[in-house]
Amino acid sequence: MTDAATETLSIVVEREVPFAPEKIWRALTQPHLIAEWLMQNDFQPKQGHRFNLSADWGDVACEVRAVEPNRRLSYSWDTKDLRSVVTWTLVSTGAGTRLRMEQTGFRPDQQPYFRGAKAGWPRFLDGLEQVLGRMD
């Protein structure tokens, strides 16, 4: 038996990228690099830090929930009536890193948010890979 009122939808984007976890970590945690592939922000990699992501369509209120350097980063992602969590997981492989992004917490009645995020995250990861390619 399931409780439909508590079911949520998730989005997962996972890629093998030819960069070391340390380099990816920098792109995930340094504000000027985050701004290049995601949005303007005032991010700090400190658990409990509240920050905003800003785009021309609006703002996202976030709070850092977990920081495990070069391995895992998690933060809330709240906008309007959406309450979700974004978690990045980095696993070193022989050729680079398996990078996984998961956004959880979409209620079934939040299809516009879910569809927007489902289309948006692959583009954000494309941008992240372009930034990684330009970094030293």
Side-chain angles (χ1 to χ4, degrees):
M1 183 173 185
T2 61
D3 183 354
T6 60
E7 289 181 18
T8 60
L9 303 172
S10 299
I11 294 168
V12 175
V13 180
E14 190 167 13
R15 295 181 181 178
E16 177 110 9
V17 293
F19 305 102
E22 294 79 7
K23 187 173 187 176
I24 297 168
W25 185 257
R26 287 176 28 221
L28 293 176
T29 60
Q30 294 185 6
H32 71 283
L33 296 174
I34 296 169
E36 288 188 43
W37 64 269
L38 185 60
M39 292 180 231
Q40 294 297 317
N41 65 92
D42 55 346
F43 180 85
Q44 292 179 22
K46 297 177 184 172
Q47 190 170 351
H49 174 68
R50 294 178 185 271
F51 65 102
N52 288 310
L53 297 168
S54 299
D56 55 1
W57 52 263
D59 293 330
V60 180
C62 305
E63 181 176 349
V64 178
R65 300 170 64 121
V67 178
E68 297 175 38
N70 306 318
R71 296 184 50 209
R72 185 169 164 263
L73 174 66
S74 181
Y75 44 82
S76 61
W77 179 287
D78 300 341
T79 184
K80 300 177 183 164
D81 62 338
L82 174 65
R83 302 292 171 263
S84 65
V85 174
V86 171
T87 301
W88 296 92
T89 307
L90 293 72
V91 177
S92 182
T93 65
T97 302
R98 183 174 307 113
L99 176 63
R100 182 177 198 270
M101 186 293 308
E102 180 174 17
Q103 185 174 11
T104 61
F106 298 94
R107 294 188 325 251
D109 65 337
Q110 295 181 316
Q111 287 298 315
Y113 294 133
F114 180 73
R115 286 192 303 269
K118 193 171 182 176
W121 279 112
R123 289 195 304 263
F124 288 139
L125 267 70
D126 289 347
L128 173 61
E129 286 191 65
Q130 290 174 7
V131 169
L132 289 165
R134 292 192 300 265
M135 291 170 57
D136 293 329

